[in-house]
Amino acid sequence: AAPRRSLCVFEYVYFARPDSVIDGVSVYEARLNMGRMLAREHPVEADLVCGVPNSGLEAAMGYARESGIRYGLAFVKNNYMEEALFSPRIVLVDDSIVRGTTCRKTIASLRNAGAKEIHMRISSPPFIHTCYFGTDIGSEKNLIANQQSVAEICRSIGADSLGYISVDGLMEACAGCGVELCTGCFT
């Protein structure tokens, strides 16, 4: 049998620059579509939608546009400080959760700044398998979604709710790609 060829879907989710066009599909538009799909699949009442810089910004914009919730910045990051700007109910969008340590710290800093509710939304499905072709993590034991349920991850990271885009939703967000997309790290 001929070898199967497919493009890693993480090119659209995270790896590629937002101004890239891969196989005729704008990475920026695909990420906006991921956010739109997240808003359809995991709606929530909130005051502000923000993205984790820089990996969740485009998906957060898409979530805000689809949901009608105001988009804004919750973080001002530079080499010297990180300041969270107050909003009581926040939808926080990022591209993925690998180990859970980064989003746990991000959520804690938003809580310290006065956020009352933090609803985490992820523009990729739960990352449960390692992939030595691009998303090399080492052991699958390092992947929080391989060890815990969505509800357990939600508690572990300190969020009020957690929603991942579905595999079908991700494929729809990247519709128009001229090649098959590999989703092995999710499936």
Side-chain angles (χ1 to χ4, degrees):
R4 191 174 133 212
R5 294 183 57 163
S6 55
L7 176 69
C8 176
V9 74
F10 252 94
E11 290 292 342
Y12 292 104
V13 173
Y14 175 74
F15 291 146
R17 288 176 19 167
D19 60 344
S20 300
V21 175
I22 304 172
D23 291 315
V25 177
S26 160
V27 171
Y28 179 82
E29 288 297 323
R31 290 177 184 167
L32 284 176
N33 290 340
M34 290 171 206
R36 289 183 182 111
M37 187 59 64
L38 269 173
R40 289 183 213 137
E41 292 181 349
H42 300 284
V44 67
E45 288 188 27
D47 304 305
L48 180 72
V49 176
C50 61
V52 173
N54 286 322
S55 55
L57 299 179
E58 294 86 7
M61 285 185 253
Y63 193 103
R65 288 178 186 173
E66 185 70 24
S67 67
I69 301 170
R70 180 174 60 96
Y71 173 81
L73 298 176
F75 293 95
V76 177
K77 279 190 160 187
N78 62 39
N79 292 334
Y80 307 104
M81 63 179 272
E82 180 178 292
E83 177 184 349
L85 307 177
F86 178 78
S87 190
R89 300 178 304 168
I90 294 174
V91 176
L92 182 63
V93 182
D94 205 357
D95 69 301
S96 61
I97 298 177
V98 179
R99 293 174 185 87
T101 52
T102 302
C103 59
R104 188 178 300 119
K105 290 175 188 173
T106 302
I107 289 169
S109 68
L110 287 171
R111 293 233 190 256
N112 289 337
K116 303 295 182 225
E117 295 178 18
I118 301 170
H119 303 279
M120 192 83 198
R121 297 295 181 263
I122 305 298
S123 62
S124 65
F127 191 3
I128 56 174
H129 298 292
T130 58
C131 174
Y132 299 100
F133 294 114
T135 53
D136 185 7
I137 303 301
S139 170
E140 290 189 356
K141 293 176 185 168
N142 294 329
L143 301 172
I144 194 169
N146 196 23
Q147 304 298 316
Q148 298 179 18
S149 69
V150 172
E152 290 169 330
I153 295 168
C154 184
R155 284 190 298 275
S156 175
I157 64 174
D160 292 284
S161 71
L162 172 60
Y164 289 89
I165 196 171
S166 66
V167 173
D168 289 341
L170 180 58
M171 294 299 98
E172 186 177 327
C174 297
C177 177
V179 297
E180 185 177 344
L181 293 173
C182 178
T183 59
C185 52
F186 312 129
T187 59

